[in-house]
Amino acid sequence: MIEYLQKQNVDNKLIEKLEKYRKENGLFDDPRVIKPEFKYYGKEVLEESISALLAGKNILLTGAKATGKNVLAENLSYLFARPSWNVSFHVNTDFSSLIGADTFKDNQVTFRKGPIYEASTRGGFAVLDEINMAKNEAISVLHASLDHRRIIDLPGYEKIKLDPNTRFIATMNYGYVGTREVNEALASRFMIIHMPNITKENLDKLLADTFTKLKEEYRKAFIDMFISLQFKSENNEISTKSVDLRGLISAIETMQIGLNPYDAILMGIANKSFDEFEREIVIDTIKTKIPSQIKESIFND
């Protein structure tokens, strides 16, 4: 992973500081230190996020769909060699689902630890996914953990001080059903990084790294198609529904099984648009890049 940073020309001094942190604090044998399935590509964002985390700060990743927020969070946990816990927020998220609650086990009351409690006491990285889906009263229980106090105050228990290695990485999208504005008190507890749309160059690196046997001509065609859809979305010609990087990757994975590339792209990209007019625009864009029938294999043997 360090070589991956060097290939992206991440500042060498920053890499040296990260390597020092890993040597002093890395938990390489912990089962919760999980190697990410995909690498995040974006020099500036990597430098900003690594710098903030090395400084002991928490970060909030904002931006549109398909900008790689969750991928970046997974990469950061692995780069720092720290165990990670993922919390998916929703309207019913409450104190007990985050911190834990009393439960009855073996004929006695015991405390069932939640993911925030575990990450806080074990020096882990807590990924707070879609943090703007939760109600403010649920988020408020995190305030003392996220600011300079770095404590968890459990009613009926002693205050718990956070491990020095604990970090919080929150993600949020705007415009999804159920999302809301993040309040000022919460935003002030994070360093905020706006995630840009993936560039053509970085998408090429991602697909080349993920699908090593994919023929270059088809990789370029898929990239041109995705960037064209992204451009239409940026100009409000279509919504972001079909600008789905996960969908593109899933489509290529089904092509590896043997599905016709055009049909796979329809499943992974075009069919994400449920408005018929928009779907036709997406399909027309796909047709300009991907033939409906490809007789040869798109992968090298």
Side-chain angles (χ1 to χ4, degrees):
M1 291 293 283
I2 296 298
E3 290 180 8
Y4 135 79
L5 294 177
Q6 292 170 335
K7 287 179 180 178
Q8 295 196 66
N9 296 316
V10 171
D11 186 84
N12 283 327
K13 291 182 180 178
L14 194 58
I15 294 175
E16 289 173 6
K17 290 178 181 177
L18 177 60
E19 285 187 297
K20 181 182 178 183
Y21 177 91
R22 285 164 57 89
K23 289 177 182 177
E24 294 176 354
N25 304 288
L27 299 178
F28 300 98
D29 296 325
D30 193 302
R32 280 193 169 270
V33 179
I34 302 170
K35 185 176 182 179
E37 185 177 0
F38 306 109
K39 293 184 177 71
Y40 177 83
Y41 289 94
K43 175 183 180 292
E44 292 79 12
V45 170
L46 280 168
E47 288 182 340
E48 290 171 357
S49 54
I50 291 171
S51 297
L53 293 172
L54 283 172
K57 307 303 178 183
N58 305 307
I59 58 176
L60 172 60
L61 309 176
T62 72
K65 177 183 174 185
T67 51
K69 294 182 289 294
N70 293 100
V71 172
L72 175 60
E74 292 170 0
N75 276 256
L76 290 170
S77 299
Y78 189 70
L79 281 168
F80 279 76
R82 300 303 303 178
S84 63
W85 282 261
N86 192 289
V87 181
S88 294
F89 281 85
H90 50 81
V91 293
N92 294 319
T93 301
D94 58 14
F95 180 95
S96 60
S97 59
L98 296 173
I99 307 299
D102 286 332
T103 187
F104 197 68
K105 183 179 180 181
D106 298 330
N107 295 320
Q108 55 183 305
V109 176
T110 58
F111 183 74
R112 175 187 56 79
K113 300 173 183 177
I116 299 300
Y117 183 101
E118 291 277 19
S120 299
T121 55
R122 292 176 56 183
F125 278 33
V127 180
L128 312 177
D129 195 21
E130 302 295 354
I131 197 169
N132 58 331
M133 290 282 283
K135 297 177 181 177
N136 287 339
E137 51 265 35
I139 297 299
S140 64
V141 305
L142 295 176
H143 284 181
S145 305
L146 292 166
D147 64 20
H148 65 281
R149 291 170 288 178
R150 292 182 62 82
I151 59 169
I152 295 177
D153 197 352
L154 295 175
Y157 295 85
E158 293 182 1
K159 291 180 181 179
I160 298 169
K161 192 168 180 63
L162 268 63
D163 185 283
N165 294 297
T166 300
R167 303 287 187 276
F168 294 92
I169 303 174
T171 73
M172 60 180 285
N173 288 310
Y174 284 112
Y176 280 15
V177 174
T179 59
R180 52 211 303 280
E181 282 292 327
V182 170
N183 67 51
E184 225 175 297
L186 182 64
S188 69
R189 287 164 164 80
F190 289 99
M191 297 288 283
I192 300 177
I193 299 174
H194 183 74
M195 303 284 286
N197 284 327
I198 192 167
T199 64
K200 189 172 185 178
E201 178 186 10
N202 286 335
L203 181 55
D204 188 32
K205 291 176 182 176
L206 173 61
L207 293 187
D209 182 64
T210 306
F211 302 102
T212 55
K213 292 187 177 182
L214 180 63
K215 291 180 179 177
E216 184 178 1
E217 61 182 291
Y218 292 108
R219 188 176 78 244
K220 299 294 186 186
F222 296 147
I223 292 169
D224 287 343
M225 175 208 67
F226 188 87
I227 296 299
S228 295
L229 292 174
Q230 187 171 267
F231 180 78
K232 289 182 182 295
S233 176
E234 290 171 348
N235 287 278
N236 297 316
E237 295 178 48
I238 60 173
S239 70
T240 60
K241 291 177 181 176
S242 290
V243 188
D244 192 335
L245 190 51
R246 292 189 190 95
L248 175 60
I249 290 171
S250 296
I252 299 174
E253 288 173 340
T254 61
M255 295 174 205
Q256 289 178 313
I257 302 300
L259 186 64
N260 177 51
Y262 180 79
D263 296 331
I265 291 294
L266 290 185
M267 288 174 60
I269 298 290
N271 293 350
K272 299 289 176 69
S273 295
F274 298 107
D275 178 87
E276 197 57 37
F277 177 73
E278 179 179 287
R279 185 172 177 273
E280 287 301 319
I281 295 176
V282 173
I283 290 175
D284 287 343
T285 304
I286 293 170
K287 284 180 177 178
T288 64
K289 308 295 181 181
I290 313 296
S292 59
Q293 292 294 327
I294 298 176
K295 301 299 183 182
E296 64 173 352
S297 172
I298 68 170
F299 297 95
N300 293 311
D301 295 332

